[in-house]
Amino acid sequence: MKKTRYRILQYICENPGISLLELSNEVEVTKSVVSVYLKDFEKDGLILKYSSTGRRIKIHPTAKAIKKYTKIKLLNICEI
């Protein structure tokens, strides 16, 4: 689970504005599983969600998320 959480954060940080569907396809887990992680990330202040057109939500990392991702990447730790 920790590895999945890291992979989701990684894709959000490396692809700001990614959609839920794109994210789900990239990390190869269902949209419902990704949604659970996104709720946690949002609660922890790691992401912001924006609706640009209609119902399509774009997911963006916060400065806190980028800082955390950079630290983990540098330390090569897959635990958030």
Side-chain angles (χ1 to χ4, degrees):
M1 241 164 101
K2 292 176 184 177
K3 191 166 189 165
T4 300
R5 182 175 165 89
Y6 170 77
R7 287 178 57 221
I8 292 171
L9 182 64
Q10 174 187 9
Y11 276 100
I12 293 169
C13 289
E14 292 178 356
N15 303 283
I18 194 167
S19 72
L20 175 61
L21 179 60
E22 293 166 329
L23 187 56
S24 174
N25 289 336
E26 289 293 334
V27 295
E28 299 176 339
V29 295
T30 65
K31 290 191 306 183
S32 59
V33 169
V34 173
S35 292
V36 170
Y37 283 106
L38 292 180
K39 284 180 185 177
D40 288 341
F41 286 160
E42 198 168 25
K43 185 180 78 179
D44 295 340
L46 297 174
I47 64 164
L48 296 172
K49 294 192 273 184
Y50 298 101
S51 178
S52 58
T53 55
R55 292 180 32 168
R56 186 175 173 142
I57 303 290
K58 303 262 184 180
I59 305 156
H60 294 270
T62 62
K64 181 179 176 181
I66 293 169
K67 183 178 178 180
K68 182 172 259 193
Y69 169 65
T70 302
K71 182 179 178 182
I72 291 167
K73 189 175 175 185
L74 288 173
L75 296 173
N76 199 23
I77 298 172
C78 288
E79 202 172 314
I80 297 176

